[in-house]
């Protein structure tokens, strides 16, 4: 029998709807605790009510605490970890665990779009699916996975795409890596291994800025002056910026602030294609770091980890631009 560590952190999966007002909020005790011991699967669950908060309240410090609990549990004979989490920031926590823990043990994160007492509530079903995946031998060496709505996604590429639909978690460009079927857990894609970096701190100020038609450099100048440690820009198309932003980008890079670029497009990867003013080729030559295939919130987590891992400038560049 597999031994699975369950860490509940809160979110809609652990909330209830008030039948009078329709408001959804946390209860006096997490409703998932009632079901955790009687799920009827052939697994031993070690359940911890780790946090009980909505996921917009999750910070990198919470992610670090989860990472430390999982690492300490490795010596407790567990076979896998399931984390229940609010869906709003689930992908960030998942990616943080993926790049700091790697594939030491299967880690599966799940949540729900409907609270525990709503008609069609997806929480218990997703929770059971997550346990099945974490307990499956096929989940070994795959890093952190996100299981929702019968699909298995990598932490690296999955993103929340819909405000309310239960099929909200999608992997643009690449698709899900596996399925939770009635009787089996099946993977259909071979995963690429990326570098992991363990960190003990998560201190860095890294804003995300989205590029738009007519964007000027002044917003970037304001950020430069406000003591930031790095910047993530959601650039246009294949990875281009309006030319008016270039002086501000130059100043930032000259003052040692890493500038990381992803595309604001939902599909595809950012790369240097154009050599016109503000085109990706120019940006790459200036030292802008193209973070391949990640969305901005995950590129931010990656830079946060890199800045806390005491890397040299060259190591940081290599880590941020690796092709994953
Ligand atoms: N479906 C959810 O879990 C959304 C909720 N706002 C949360 O992230 O905590």
């Amino acid at each position: 029998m597999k031994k699975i560590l369950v860490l509940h952190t809160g979110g809609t999966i652990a909330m209830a709807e008030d039948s009078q007002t329709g408001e959804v909020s946390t209860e006096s005790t997490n409703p998932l605790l009632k079901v955790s011991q009687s799920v009827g699967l052939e697994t031993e669950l070690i359940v911890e009510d780790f946090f009980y908060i909505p996921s917009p309240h999750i910070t990198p410090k919470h992610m670090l605490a989860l990472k430390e609990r999982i690492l300490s549990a490795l010596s407790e004979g567990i076979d896998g970890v399931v984390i229940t989490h609010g869906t709003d920031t689930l992908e960030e926590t998942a990616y943080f665990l993926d790049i700091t823990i790697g594939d030491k043990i299967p880690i599966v994160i799940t949540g729900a779009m409907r609270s525990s007492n709503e008609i069609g509530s997806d929480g218990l079903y997703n929770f059971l699916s997550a346990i099945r995946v974490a307990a499956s031998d096929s989940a070994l060496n795959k890093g952190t996975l996100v299981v929702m709505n019968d699909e298995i996604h990598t932490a690296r590429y999955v993103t929340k795409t819909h405000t309310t639909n239960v099929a909200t978690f999608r992997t643009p460009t690449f698709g899900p890596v596996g399925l939770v079927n009635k009787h089996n857990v099946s993977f259909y894609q071979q995963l690429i291994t990326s570098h992991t970096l363990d960190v003990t701190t998560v201190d860095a100020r890294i804003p995300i800025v989205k590029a738009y038609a007519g964007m000027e450099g002044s917003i970037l100048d304001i950020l430069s002056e406000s003591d930031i440690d790095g910047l993530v820009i959601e650039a246009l198309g294949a990875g281009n910026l309006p030319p008016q932003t270039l002086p501000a980008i130059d100043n930032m890079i000259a003052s040692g602030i890493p500038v990381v670029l992803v595309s604001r497009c939902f599909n595809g990867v950012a790369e240097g294609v154009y050599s016109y003013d503000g085109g990706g080729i120019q940006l790459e030559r200036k030292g802008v770091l193209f973070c391949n295939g990640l969305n901005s919130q995950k590129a931010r987590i990656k830079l946060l980890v890199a800045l806390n891992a005491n890397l040299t400038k060259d190591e940081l560049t290599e880590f941020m631009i690796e092709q994953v």
Side-chain angles (χ1 to χ4, degrees):
M1 192 186 272
K2 295 262 185 127
K3 196 165 148 186
I4 304 295
L5 173 67
V6 176
L7 301 172
H8 292 304
T9 72
T12 299
I13 192 168
M15 292 183 192
E17 186 184 75
D18 183 311
S19 56
Q20 303 296 312
T21 64
E23 289 173 25
V24 174
S25 65
T26 46
E27 298 280 86
S28 51
T29 50
N30 181 341
L32 278 174
L33 291 173
K34 293 183 207 135
V35 295
S36 297
Q37 299 301 341
S38 58
V39 287
L41 296 172
E42 288 195 10
T43 44
E44 183 192 344
L45 303 184
I46 301 138
V47 179
E48 295 181 15
D49 203 15
F50 205 64
F51 307 122
Y52 191 24
I53 54 176
S55 80
H57 297 197
I58 293 273
T59 67
K61 290 216 163 43
H62 295 102
M63 300 176 196
L64 191 64
L66 279 168
K67 191 253 323 168
E68 273 157 18
R69 177 65 192 106
I70 294 168
L71 290 181
S72 73
L74 293 179
S75 58
E76 295 167 21
I78 55 162
D79 299 294
V81 180
V82 168
I83 298 171
T84 63
H85 198 290
T87 56
D88 291 347
T89 62
L90 185 151
E91 64 192 89
E92 282 150 275
T93 298
Y95 185 60
F96 179 85
L97 298 175
D98 194 47
I99 53 167
T100 55
I101 300 179
D103 58 8
K104 290 189 174 70
I105 190 159
I107 301 171
V108 180
I109 310 201
T110 194
M113 295 304 287
R114 298 185 186 134
S115 56
S116 59
N117 61 346
E118 271 177 75
I119 291 175
S121 170
D122 50 334
L124 183 56
Y125 184 81
N126 285 338
F127 181 45
L128 298 187
S129 298
I131 295 168
R132 286 178 59 201
V133 175
S136 161
D137 287 342
S138 57
L140 288 166
N141 306 317
K142 297 210 164 48
T144 301
L145 300 166
V146 172
V147 168
M148 293 279 291
N149 203 37
D150 282 342
E151 291 183 347
I152 310 171
H153 297 263
T154 61
R156 198 181 301 158
Y157 297 128
V158 73
T159 193
K160 184 173 180 177
T161 65
H162 196 288
T163 51
T164 53
N165 192 321
V166 293
T168 182
F169 281 90
R170 297 288 165 101
T171 298
T173 311
F174 312 114
V177 291
L179 291 177
V180 183
N181 297 317
K182 280 264 179 269
H183 306 295
N184 295 310
V185 168
S186 318
F187 285 83
Y188 297 100
Q189 292 195 42
Q190 185 103 34
L191 306 192
I192 313 161
T193 326
S194 59
H195 287 107
T196 55
L197 282 177
D198 198 5
V199 287
T200 52
T201 55
V202 281
D203 307 317
R205 300 182 71 202
I206 309 167
I208 298 173
V209 172
K210 187 169 190 154
Y212 45 89
M215 184 184 193
E216 290 175 350
S218 50
I219 183 79
L220 302 179
D221 290 331
I222 293 167
L223 288 172
S224 287
E225 285 154 22
S226 50
D227 212 14
I228 60 169
D229 303 295
L231 177 72
V232 175
I233 305 182
E234 266 190 42
L236 310 172
N240 312 304
L241 287 173
Q244 302 89 323
T245 60
L246 296 181
I249 300 271
D250 285 335
N251 288 342
M252 256 189 205
I253 293 174
S255 56
I257 299 172
V259 178
V260 170
L261 184 144
V262 298
S263 173
R264 71 175 194 176
C265 292
F266 185 65
N267 280 292
V269 297
E271 55 183 343
V273 176
Y274 297 97
S275 56
Y276 56 70
D277 258 8
I281 288 179
Q282 268 199 0
L283 298 174
E284 273 183 333
R285 287 194 186 127
K286 286 177 186 299
V288 173
L289 306 173
F290 279 53
C291 195
N292 247 301
L294 296 185
N295 64 22
S296 58
Q297 54 272 33
K298 289 191 204 175
R300 182 183 179 279
I301 294 287
K302 189 167 192 179
L303 184 57
L304 180 71
V305 168
L307 287 172
N308 281 276
N310 298 321
L311 303 181
T312 62
K313 190 167 177 280
D314 287 349
E315 286 167 344
L316 184 135
T317 300
E318 201 182 315
F319 182 67
M320 291 308 299
I321 66 171
E322 72 177 338
Q323 304 278 325
V324 289

